[in-house]
Amino acid sequence: MARKKSEALRTYNELFRKENEVYHQVADKLGLSDSAFEILYAIYDAGPGCTQEDICIFMGIPKQTVNSSVRKMVQEGILRTEQAGKTVRLYFTDAGEALANRCIVPVQEAEEAAFEQMNEHECAEFLRLQHLYVQSLQTLLEKTFTK
């Protein structure tokens, strides 16, 4: 049984890497760095006015990466910042909105279409199992590294 689970974990990790590679290839074909693609995706998905911290949490990428990519995207005229008290909010410029519509909308449409390949039960089961795995992994790793 342990061997089967070990093989299942290897298969899962391979699928996880393949999924990441799919997004990397899309970003590359669009002429974007992975971090620029992820930032565009996060802002488009979260809506205008999200913060760099929101992006870090949403995409699981380090603050330094987000900060340097955002700075570059502001210089390129893709994003603009707006100070709201101590918080800096991010917004697309017109060029950024056009870029997101060209790059992110088709990706999200493809993601939705991929989910539609599963019936309602399969989709719910997929999400249930993914949630169970991530929750268990997080709990176990917190116990392991909180000593």
Side-chain angles (χ1 to χ4, degrees), residues 26-45:
V26 167
D28 193 47
K29 287 177 183 176
L30 294 168
L32 297 169
S33 67
D34 290 347
S35 59
F37 176 82
E38 290 170 338
I39 289 166
L40 285 172
Y41 191 108
I43 295 171
Y44 186 86
D45 202 59

Side-chain angles (χ1 to χ4, degrees), residues 124-136:
E125 187 66 0
F126 172 78
L127 295 174
R128 184 187 75 77
L129 292 171
Q130 183 71 14
H131 180 76
L132 176 65
Y133 174 76
V134 170
Q135 191 173 31
S136 297

Side-chain angles (χ1 to χ4, degrees), residues 58-119:
F58 184 76
M59 300 307 290
I61 50 180
K63 274 187 199 179
Q64 302 89 325
T65 301
V66 172
N67 190 14
S68 61
S69 292
V70 164
R71 211 172 325 116
K72 184 177 181 197
M73 293 169 83
V74 167
Q75 290 171 350
E76 293 171 344
I78 296 168
L79 299 177
R80 67 178 177 82
T81 60
E82 196 173 287
Q83 192 78 33
K86 291 183 176 183
T87 305
V88 177
R89 302 222 170 262
L90 301 171
Y91 297 89
F92 290 130
T93 62
D94 289 342
E97 186 76 36
L99 182 62
N101 285 329
R102 182 175 65 82
C103 299
I104 304 306
V105 170
V107 169
Q108 288 190 339
E109 288 172 350
E111 290 169 336
E112 288 177 18
F115 261 86
E116 288 173 9
Q117 299 294 312
M118 294 182 271
N119 66 41

